[in-house]
Every structure is written in structure tokens, then in C-alpha cells.
Amino acid sequence: MQGWSSRASGRDDVRFAMEPVTPGTVYFAPPNYHLLVDAGLPVDAGPQLALSTDDPVNHSRPSIDVLFDSAAEVYREHLLGIILTGANEDGAAGLAAVHDAGGLTVAQAPGTAQSSAMILSALERRPVDLVLDLEGIAKLLNGMCASEPRGRT
């Protein structure tokens, strides 16, 4: 996996797993692999991404629950979890883990989703901090990026 790079997407700011987490970079889980955040060793090396071929979770691999749960352990209250449209329960437990760790939780407004099953499952499991339409989510992210000091993850 280490040889995968941004060339697959044609964009220099998009990368694939198996490298240290870098601020301002978008990562994608390759098909049929769970993507996890690891604290990294030594600890001062910072968070790293890892891939797993463990069993599917909620019929999904990659699973949002696996990613959110591992990210919540590492980033705790510095994490933002967002659930968007989806057709199964994957993501509900992970978003609850983000909430329980003190992170900010956001759900797409169910009425604006192509499929609301994933969102409704998350909302039934644990209250979220914000329920927004896609435009509201974009505004939130843009506002956070504008106010975030460079160099933080």
C-alpha cells in the first residue's frame, strides 16, 4: 500500500493510507480495507494511518465505525465527526464514540439525504451537536478552516 499516491486522483493534495497524518491532506480508504488512525510510535511521531483487512463491520469494509472509533481514541475533543447520506447503520457507533470522547458531532439533515438510514441510526443512538444541510456543513467546515491555525491536525 505504501506505493499508492495522489497520482490515482490527479490531485496533489489527496493521498492514500500508510503515511503519517499531515494537516490539509485528504485521505481515502482503499476498497476492501478499513482505515484506522493510530497514535504512532514513538508517541512524539504523531498520528499515523493504518489499514486493516479485519471482518466487515455493518457489512462494510471500509467501515466508518472503525475509522471514527480509532480517530476518537487519538484525537479526543479535537475531532470532528460528520455523518452524511448512507443506507445502513455504519457510522452510528463511531459517531457516538466521537461524541463520548468530547469531539464535535454533525449529522446531515435527514430530509436532505439521498438515503437517511445511516443518519437516522446515528441520531437514534446518541444526540449530535449539529444537524445541518449540506450547505450548512460546508459553511461550518469553511469557517473552521479559516480560523484554524496552520500546522494543527
Side-chain angles (χ1 to χ4, degrees), residues 75-125:
Y75 289 107
R76 314 249 353 120
E77 69 276 3
H78 303 286
L79 183 63
L80 166 65
I82 302 174
I83 289 290
L84 302 172
T85 189
N88 70 22
E89 295 181 7
D90 186 35
L95 197 65
V98 172
H99 179 270
D100 292 348
L104 179 65
T105 55
V106 179
Q108 180 181 358
T112 67
Q114 185 175 8
S115 176
S116 62
M118 186 181 301
I119 298 163
L120 293 173
S121 179
L123 292 173
E124 288 171 8
R125 179 164 276 208

Side-chain angles (χ1 to χ4, degrees), residues 3 15 17 37 39 41 47 55 61 71 90 100 103 129 145 151:
R15 304 204 190 284
V37 179
L41 291 175
D55 291 339
R61 189 173 61 204
D90 186 35
D100 292 348
D129 297 304
C145 290

Side-chain angles (χ1 to χ4, degrees), residues 13 17 29 37-38 40 56 63-64 70 77 81 85 92 94 105-106 109 121-123 129 134 143-144 147-148:
D13 59 340
V37 179
D38 185 88
S63 166
I64 299 164
S70 66
E77 69 276 3
T85 189
T105 55
V106 179
S121 179
L123 292 173
D129 297 304
L134 293 178
M144 292 175 91
S147 65
E148 186 69 21

